[in-house]
Amino acid sequence: MSDTTTEIALDLEAKRLSVRKPEERYDVQGTMSDEQRVQKVMENFAKDFGHVAATYMEACIHCGACAHACPFYEASGGDPRLTPIWKIEPFKQAYKREAGPLAFFYKAFNLKPKVTVDELKEWQELLYDTCTMCGRCTLICPMSIDIAALVGMARHGMFHAGLVPHELYMVTEKAEREGSPLGATPQVFEDRIEWMGDEHEVEMHVDEDQADVLVLMSSIEIQKYPESMAATAKILNAMGKSWTFHTEGYEATNFGMLSGNLEWQRDMSMKIIQTAENIGAKLVILPECGHAYQALRWQGANMYGKPLPFQVQHISEFLADAVESGALKLKKLDKTVAFHDPCQISRRGGATPAPRKVLEALGVDLKESESGGDMNICCGGGGGVITIHRADTLRYKVMGAKFRQLDATGAEMMVTSCSNCRQNFDDSGEKLNWGKEMNSLLELVADNLEEAKQ
């Protein structure tokens, strides 16, 4: 993930501290002609024109209900281009013209014109900069159209046509080539494990030949929040688990999925799956990363081609099970807490109750924010958006609304279970002078272990 602190001119005439919108730009990769890019898009759109996509695209009744569910639409002041269903218009246009039941008429009378490269360049911003695939629009949609899934499918075509925002493309290519989008190579990972083990005086398990539990980390945690490694080790050691980090499969981040390249998504997932198989793991614990959860927990079996031979849990689910079973006992915190639900873990993943069980075990007074839980408003940085510098202006506006929502709870402490969200809170908090800190649920647990037994 690229540096998100790129300087952007301040707009001092705005009612509140804001940033001036960068110049419009459209990014392309490769040397394809416009015709070749359109052909690539159509070929890859067509691969996704199955019955699921067809049902969604035929079901839209144009009610516009999805608009107000989208934090980017709201933050823009109601820009109709940012209505969620409009973001997939080229995908829908291509389907209607080429594959839908009335395709002959659409094509014969040009009711749905052929997609052009200029349209695709324009839609690059809508598909990548202004959608985190958070899925809030899906819960609002009266026809239950999974617009987030359609955006993911549309990104497949865009990637193969070389129409991905540069920053997102660069970190994805780096992840495919080096194994990590942020340069957390196996050597870097191993060095950081040793550093954290010494720093926190905790026993680390690395490259064990056999282990019941394979533990993954996200690149953000390895590079920005390495204490997560020590926190995880401290908890698993206290529970007496047979576990290991492994340098052959440690990186949970999956930019193949975020950018739209299924082949690279599969490569990134298979490193983990093969490592887990090699060491005989019965459980793979995913780190505090929303899209990592989506990539392995819900799409991993699709990449593998059959059911995964091990269980997959997000760390918050693992912690919830541990406190419920009594395997992990925690000290009580005398604090009021507001929890930010990561979209891919909560709304898209179904793990909304897990962090609440952990917070209950910590004895905190949980202050639920407006639209908390499954309907939580996205932080605006997921789906690769935080990597794209030209998206900063609107992303900060989305986070401004998020800050106001959390501040309204009056809670003393802010907690989340996604390092990408946490990074976005840190970056936006500094830019917008929030004055508060977003804390990790995992680290909160590790800091408050009372006793543990297997």
Side-chain angles (χ1 to χ4, degrees):
M1 200 162 288
S2 59
D3 180 10
T4 58
T5 59
T6 292
E7 288 301 321
I8 297 174
L10 291 175
D11 185 355
L12 300 177
E13 296 178 0
K15 289 184 179 178
R16 68 177 179 83
L17 181 63
S18 185
V19 291
R20 194 162 288 150
K21 188 174 183 178
E23 293 295 323
E24 284 191 4
R25 70 159 217 258
Y26 304 108
D27 296 336
V28 296
Q29 292 85 42
T31 55
M32 286 180 274
S33 66
D34 287 352
E35 291 74 19
Q36 288 172 321
R37 291 186 195 279
V38 171
Q39 185 179 348
K40 283 285 183 184
V41 162
M42 295 305 296
E43 287 174 0
N44 286 279
F45 278 177
K47 289 180 181 176
D48 291 318
F49 287 157
H51 64 277
V52 174
T55 302
Y56 287 148
M57 285 185 282
E58 293 290 346
C60 181
I61 56 175
H62 307 283
C63 67
C66 56
H68 294 290
C70 177
F72 291 96
Y73 174 87
E74 290 290 295
S76 72
D79 183 346
R81 294 172 68 248
L82 302 187
T83 301
I85 197 70
W86 180 247
K87 294 176 185 176
I88 59 162
E89 180 57 24
F91 191 62
K92 190 176 174 184
Q93 191 171 315
Y95 165 78
K96 293 277 187 183
R97 181 182 170 90
E98 306 295 338
L102 301 177
F104 171 79
F105 293 100
Y106 280 118
K107 189 180 291 186
F109 297 100
N110 204 30
L111 298 176
K112 286 289 180 187
K114 191 174 180 180
V115 176
T116 67
V117 75
D118 288 337
E119 285 179 310
L120 296 172
K121 289 178 179 177
E122 182 183 352
W123 253 267
Q124 185 184 91
E125 176 191 353
L126 303 184
L127 289 169
Y128 287 102
D129 300 26
T130 68
C131 181
T132 61
M133 298 183 280
C134 80
R136 196 164 187 264
C137 51
T138 298
L139 291 192
I140 294 292
C141 176
M143 306 305 289
S144 299
I145 300 171
D146 192 348
I147 299 171
L150 294 177
V151 167
M153 292 177 191
R155 288 186 180 190
H156 297 162
M158 296 292 282
F159 187 97
H160 288 285
L163 293 168
V164 179
H166 275 328
E167 302 95 322
L168 184 55
Y169 178 84
M170 293 298 288
V171 294
T172 305
E173 191 277 333
K174 188 179 180 69
E176 172 68 6
R177 178 166 40 84
E178 296 183 355
S180 171
L182 292 184
T185 62
Q187 186 60 57
V188 169
F189 180 56
E190 200 167 2
D191 290 346
R192 294 215 152 208
I193 290 172
E194 184 178 353
W195 168 36
M196 283 294 108
D198 293 342
E199 181 92 3
H200 294 271
E201 297 182 343
V202 60
E203 183 183 358
M204 295 291 197
H205 297 254
V206 188
D207 289 345
E208 301 283 357
D209 292 334
Q210 296 287 320
D212 291 339
V213 182
L214 174 65
V215 180
L216 308 182
M217 284 287 134
S218 72
S219 51
I220 295 174
E221 289 169 308
I222 298 167
Q223 298 289 53
K224 186 173 172 61
Y225 306 118
E227 290 78 10
S228 296
M229 291 185 273
T232 307
K234 189 176 175 183
I235 292 167
L236 291 171
N237 289 346
M239 294 175 67
K241 291 289 184 182
S242 159
W243 70 277
T244 189
F245 292 121
H246 209 290
T247 52
E248 290 181 3
Y250 59 94
E251 174 61 88
T253 316
N254 197 314
F255 271 87
M257 182 180 73
L258 300 182
S259 62
N261 188 321
L262 278 173
E263 292 175 11
W264 288 1
Q265 177 181 348
R266 185 174 295 108
D267 290 346
M268 293 169 194
S269 293
M270 286 308 298
K271 282 185 183 178
I272 298 167
I273 294 169
Q274 287 170 351
T275 302
E277 284 186 316
N278 291 343
I279 66 168
K282 300 170 185 170
L283 171 66
V284 173
I285 296 181
L286 292 167
E288 290 192 324
C289 177
H291 282 90
Y293 186 64
Q294 188 66 218
L296 191 66
R297 174 67 182 86
W298 299 115
Q299 298 189 29
N302 292 339
M303 299 297 107
Y304 188 49
K306 53 187 176 181
L308 297 176
F310 46 78
Q311 186 185 5
V312 178
Q313 282 191 315
H314 183 259
I315 184 67
S316 63
E317 294 177 296
F318 176 79
L319 293 174
D321 285 351
V323 296
E324 276 198 315
S325 68
L328 204 58
K329 293 191 181 300
L330 308 177
K331 298 174 189 171
K332 303 298 181 186
L333 281 175
D334 183 21
K335 286 185 181 294
T336 54
V337 166
F339 184 76
H340 167 69
D341 288 274
C343 306
Q344 302 300 322
I345 301 164
S346 179
R347 178 167 43 252
R348 301 286 285 175
T352 305
R356 286 163 178 76
K357 291 177 184 173
V358 178
L359 291 170
E360 182 181 356
L362 284 164
V364 305
D365 180 6
L366 179 62
K367 302 291 185 183
E368 292 283 7
S369 62
E370 182 186 356
S371 304
D374 291 340
M375 284 303 292
N376 188 46
I377 295 175
C378 176
C379 73
V385 173
I386 198 170
T387 65
I388 306 167
H389 289 180
R390 69 182 179 202
D392 284 354
T393 303
L394 196 53
R395 175 170 63 84
Y396 289 137
K397 288 183 178 178
V398 170
M399 189 55 102
K402 186 79 237 178
F403 286 156
R404 290 191 289 276
Q405 189 186 53
L406 290 176
D407 288 345
T409 66
E412 299 169 272
M413 176 182 278
M414 306 297 168
V415 178
T416 191
S417 58
C418 173
S419 57
N420 193 57
C421 292
R422 189 180 175 192
Q423 177 186 226
N424 195 20
F425 274 92
D426 283 355
D427 174 59
S428 302
E430 182 180 347
K431 185 68 74 173
L432 302 179
N433 298 313
W434 188 37
K436 295 184 177 67
E437 180 185 9
M438 180 53 75
N439 297 280
S440 151
L441 181 71
L442 165 66
E443 292 175 26
L444 199 60
V445 168
D447 290 342
N448 290 281
L449 292 177
E450 185 173 85
E451 58 180 283
K453 59 185 179 181
Q454 192 168 14

